[in-house]
Amino acid sequence: MLGKFMKIIDFFNEKQIDLENKKLLVAASGGPDSMALLDMLKDLQKKQKFELIAAHFNHQLRSDSEEETRILKDYCQKNEIPLFVAKWAKNEQPKSGIEAAAREVRYNFLTKIAKNETADYLLTAHHGDDLIENILLKFIRSGNPEEMNSLQAVGVMHGVTLLRPLLSSSKQEILAYDKERGISFIVDSTNKEDDTMRNRMRHHVVPILKKENPALIQNALRFSHKMSDLTNVVDEKINEIGTIENFLGQAYRIKSSEIKRLTKDQQIVFWQKIIWQKFHRRVNKNLGNFSVIEYQGFVYLYKNNLEISKKIFTIKINEPFIFNNRKLLLTTKDNMSKKKLGDFWFDCKTEFKAGVLITGSKFLLQDGTRVKAKKKFAEHAIPFALRPLCLAIYADREPIFVENTYQNQNWIKNGKHYFLYAN
């Protein structure tokens, strides 16, 4: 048994992943699977030169969560493995949808550690039984092939390369490894209950299927590999369509002429892919909590619950400020290294305010007349729902700049050139 598991190096060879001088971050829970993975990698360090670190997120949802942390700390201290630990504050835990929220906050923590520590890979201890359960659960809940194929051996999470080297191994084999190596771990007591569909699947359905075919894990892996091949073909087709651009921080858009190269069904697949890539959400054909609209030659994608600020506040030149969760900077310096969002000329002694554009505003034109803001928004292909995302800059209560829409048109004696950047 031990000899088999020490062939974990086969995973890296098959995937052509060179570990030499790399940094590996293991998502460790204190359970049997992640403890086994940590131990296998620690042994592998005897043969290959790489750095090993671990991260543990304590959800504080079970009475034995502190014991999990203690076991991990003891193991990592004994084996000189740097360990990063964080807790999920009780007041931050939602009253409903806690499983999905726990997963999101955990992966946010793990990917943040991976980026902060410049880790090359984030490794999780998902195994073959997890893969079977995932395929069955997704088949029951949605039937979406991409969801059924979400547990990939190699993937990407929030810009971090994710590895799952134990997918070809069963839970039984991992437990046998732990026993042979004398590894301490905590068994999640909630896994013994039948209150969730996953647990019922694990306790009753999967054992029956394994009796029907002991090679069930190999079949699940084969299904996953084939689905990956098909998905790659779809991705290549989608990549030929054109570039989709971020718009105002919370939306994305593409030219209508590009998206219309696809059939209606292909367009749904396209947006499902984009939602997964940009928002990390799996959605069905109605696109869930997202909207897709066509307006003035563009097709826009955005969340239905946009984060919109209605405040107007004073800003200072050369000092960053936040608007609709975007960090921005107004300066008189033309900085080519930053993303420029717009520019305008105005008096150098003006106190500027910024925020959302006031409803019913009109813009002063060069000839002294005024034009309604909604007309300028339409001219610049900005749909109604996204207009509150455009930053407005005021001077003496007069809008002198609106992102992607308008800039002061009157000549200013001894004026200065101002630049707005994404900071």
Side-chain angles (χ1 to χ4, degrees):
M1 182 63 66
L2 183 57
K4 175 181 178 180
F5 273 98
M6 288 323 298
K7 290 184 180 179
I8 190 174
I9 192 172
D10 290 346
F11 166 83
F12 299 104
N13 290 337
E14 289 169 6
K15 302 300 179 183
Q16 298 182 332
I17 298 172
D18 183 11
L19 297 182
E20 192 69 20
N21 296 319
K22 296 295 193 297
K23 182 184 284 190
L24 278 59
L25 170 62
V26 175
S29 68
D33 312 328
S34 60
M35 294 302 296
L37 178 58
L38 260 181
D39 195 70
M40 292 175 202
L41 292 169
K42 186 61 186 176
D43 254 21
L44 188 56
Q45 278 187 312
K46 299 173 183 177
K47 300 179 181 179
Q48 293 202 24
K49 182 183 177 183
F50 61 87
E51 189 175 348
L52 182 62
I53 61 176
H56 172 61
F57 191 77
N58 183 349
H59 294 96
Q60 297 197 96
L61 296 174
R62 304 197 321 271
S63 59
D64 55 4
S65 61
E66 294 299 329
E67 181 65 11
E68 279 185 333
T69 304
R70 186 194 65 77
I71 286 176
L72 261 173
K73 285 183 176 180
D74 288 348
Y75 180 89
C76 290
Q77 186 175 8
K78 178 181 178 182
N79 291 278
E80 298 180 335
I81 300 173
L83 174 65
F84 300 85
V85 178
K87 289 184 178 182
W88 197 13
K90 292 286 187 179
N91 60 2
E92 294 178 0
Q93 298 174 9
K95 294 181 180 180
S96 61
I98 197 161
E99 185 177 350
R103 182 183 183 277
E104 183 175 2
V105 72
R106 178 174 69 252
Y107 274 104
N108 284 341
F109 163 71
L110 291 170
T111 51
K112 180 180 179 181
I113 294 297
K115 292 174 181 178
N116 289 347
E117 297 299 314
T118 62
D120 296 283
Y121 304 111
L122 169 62
L123 288 78
T124 71
H126 290 100
H127 48 74
D129 289 70
D130 291 325
L131 179 61
I132 294 170
E133 293 168 11
N134 187 70
I135 291 172
L136 294 174
L137 285 171
K138 299 299 185 180
F139 180 78
I140 292 171
R141 289 172 176 168
S142 71
N144 186 329
E146 287 191 326
E147 288 192 41
M148 294 163 65
N149 195 39
S150 59
L151 275 187
Q152 287 291 309
V154 180
V156 176
M157 173 73 74
H158 301 329
V160 177
T161 302
L162 187 64
L163 305 180
R164 298 182 175 101
L166 299 184
L167 284 183
S168 62
S169 305
S170 70
K171 179 75 170 187
Q172 184 178 0
E173 290 169 328
I174 292 173
L175 289 172
Y177 175 89
D178 287 327
K179 182 178 180 180
E180 188 169 345
R181 296 281 288 188
I183 298 173
S184 298
F185 57 82
I186 288 289
V187 176
D188 185 346
S189 57
T190 61
N191 288 340
K192 299 177 182 180
E193 302 168 359
D194 271 356
D195 58 338
T196 66
M197 189 187 300
R198 180 177 291 277
N199 283 0
R200 293 192 293 274
M201 198 74 61
R202 179 177 300 159
H203 298 156
H204 309 293
V205 179
V206 173
I208 293 174
L209 295 177
K210 282 187 172 181
K211 284 184 179 179
E212 293 292 334
N213 185 357
L216 191 61
I217 288 178
Q218 286 70 32
N219 286 351
L221 282 169
R222 189 177 298 111
F223 170 83
S224 184
H225 292 158
K226 289 294 183 182
M227 282 303 306
S228 291
D229 292 340
L230 293 173
T231 299
N232 289 337
V233 172
V234 174
D235 287 344
E236 289 176 7
K237 171 73 174 177
I238 286 175
N239 290 336
E240 294 173 359
I241 298 306
T243 302
I244 185 164
E245 62 174 324
N246 179 265
F247 190 71
L248 300 171
Q250 297 186 53
Y252 291 87
R253 73 176 185 180
I254 189 171
K255 289 183 178 178
S256 300
S257 57
E258 297 290 344
I259 198 71
K260 287 180 178 178
R261 293 164 56 189
L262 300 174
T263 66
K264 293 294 184 181
D265 288 340
Q266 289 173 339
Q267 287 180 32
I268 292 173
V269 174
F270 174 85
W271 291 117
Q272 287 175 324
K273 283 279 187 181
I274 297 301
I275 290 170
W276 173 246
Q277 291 173 6
K278 306 300 184 182
F279 299 94
H280 206 70
R281 293 287 186 274
R282 296 287 189 189
V283 294
N284 55 26
K285 65 180 182 180
N286 68 9
L287 304 186
N289 191 37
F290 292 84
S291 291
V292 172
I293 62 170
E294 184 175 8
Y295 186 74
Q296 305 286 54
F298 288 92
V299 180
Y300 292 84
L301 167 75
Y302 57 90
K303 280 184 177 181
N304 292 334
N305 53 338
L306 292 168
E307 298 180 34
I308 296 174
S309 171
K310 296 182 179 181
K311 295 181 179 179
I312 296 177
F313 49 92
T314 301
I315 58 175
K316 295 183 178 180
I317 305 303
N318 301 321
E319 290 189 14
F321 61 94
I322 302 294
F323 176 69
N324 287 335
N325 290 328
R326 289 187 294 156
K327 193 174 183 181
L328 307 175
L329 177 71
L330 185 66
T331 178
T332 55
K333 301 174 183 178
D334 192 358
N335 191 334
M336 299 298 291
S337 65
K338 293 182 180 292
K339 181 181 178 182
K340 186 165 72 174
L341 304 179
D343 63 296
F344 62 93
W345 286 83
F346 210 76
D347 193 316
C348 61
K349 296 181 180 180
T350 303
E351 179 183 71
F352 294 112
K353 292 183 180 294
V356 68
L357 183 67
I358 297 172
T359 303
S361 292
K362 293 183 178 181
F363 301 141
L364 182 64
L365 301 181
Q366 193 171 13
D367 62 4
T369 62
R370 291 183 179 272
V371 61
K372 291 182 179 180
K374 63 180 183 180
K375 181 177 181 180
K376 299 299 289 184
F377 277 128
E379 287 178 2
H380 289 83
I382 302 176
F384 181 81
L386 302 182
R387 292 172 187 177
L389 297 179
C390 298
L391 175 75
I393 296 178
Y394 297 87
D396 296 326
R397 300 182 181 181
E398 177 81 25
I400 58 171
F401 171 86
V402 178
E403 191 178 358
N404 290 346
T405 306
Y406 169 79
Q407 62 180 8
N408 175 59
Q409 298 182 5
N410 291 314
W411 180 77
I412 302 292
K413 184 178 181 180
N414 299 322
K416 276 197 174 184
H417 198 177
Y418 294 90
F419 303 90
L420 178 69
Y421 293 103
N423 193 42

